[in-house]
Amino acid sequence: KDAIYWAKLDQFVNPADKDKPLERPNFIQVTDSRGSNVGWNLSIKQEAQFMNEEEALDGAELTFAKGVMSSADNGTAPTITSPLTLTPGEAIEVVNAEENEGKGTWVALFGKDNTEGATSISLAVPGNSKKMEGIYTTSLTWDLTDAPA
């Protein structure tokens, strides 16, 4: 049968209790302190389909959803693409900062809080795909360019 698997929340060391980690939605952080205000672009590419040794997990789709931009810096927020579903071998824009946007430190959160974050990054696996016992992996390449798309 078709199945959806959710990415776990990011975990951090809790300074108050090292045995109980803190959690927050998965995120990407970009800091632009160049002062040129020309903008920037962040994209992602899934290099290949999820593989288990020799078997591909045909039809599996990795999706990033519920994207929100956050910053403690004053300024104009860049635009986040959400939801976005990766296609193996193709780059897709995640965040785009036009001229005079995205200055300072910006965080692209997948989920505005832990409740949303728990269901923001998913791997959908079709029921009819061939599955072999073991661990399936893929590689994601993030590309940050110094100009808007």
Side-chain angles (χ1 to χ4, degrees), residues 57-133:
L57 196 54
D58 292 331
E61 292 183 332
L62 185 59
T63 299
F64 293 76
K66 303 174 186 173
V68 294
M69 297 303 301
S70 178
S71 178
D73 298 329
N74 292 325
T76 304
T79 303
I80 188 167
T81 304
S82 182
L84 60 93
T85 299
L86 303 183
T87 300
E90 294 181 20
I92 188 168
E93 180 180 284
V94 180
V95 181
N96 187 59
E98 295 289 338
E99 186 174 358
N100 295 317
E101 294 178 350
K103 295 180 280 185
T105 299
W106 286 89
V107 177
L109 292 157
F110 295 99
K112 67 181 178 195
D113 55 31
N114 286 357
T115 301
E116 275 195 6
T119 58
S120 63
I121 300 177
S122 64
L123 176 64
V125 180
N128 62 358
S129 65
K130 184 178 179 180
K131 299 163 196 76
M132 303 292 291
E133 186 176 338

Side-chain angles (χ1 to χ4, degrees), residues 26-64:
N26 290 284
F27 69 95
I28 300 114
Q29 178 177 308
V30 175
T31 299
D32 184 357
S33 57
R34 298 171 296 165
S36 62
N37 304 330
V38 296
W40 48 268
N41 183 274
L42 178 67
S43 63
I44 186 174
K45 180 168 85 169
Q46 180 180 335
E47 295 297 334
Q49 186 53 274
F50 282 84
M51 297 284 296
N52 175 3
E53 297 179 24
E54 297 178 13
E55 293 293 328
L57 196 54
D58 292 331
E61 292 183 332
L62 185 59
T63 299
F64 293 76

Side-chain angles (χ1 to χ4, degrees), residues 1 23 59 135 142 144:
K1 65 180 182 176
E23 295 182 323
I135 297 172
W142 297 87
L144 178 63

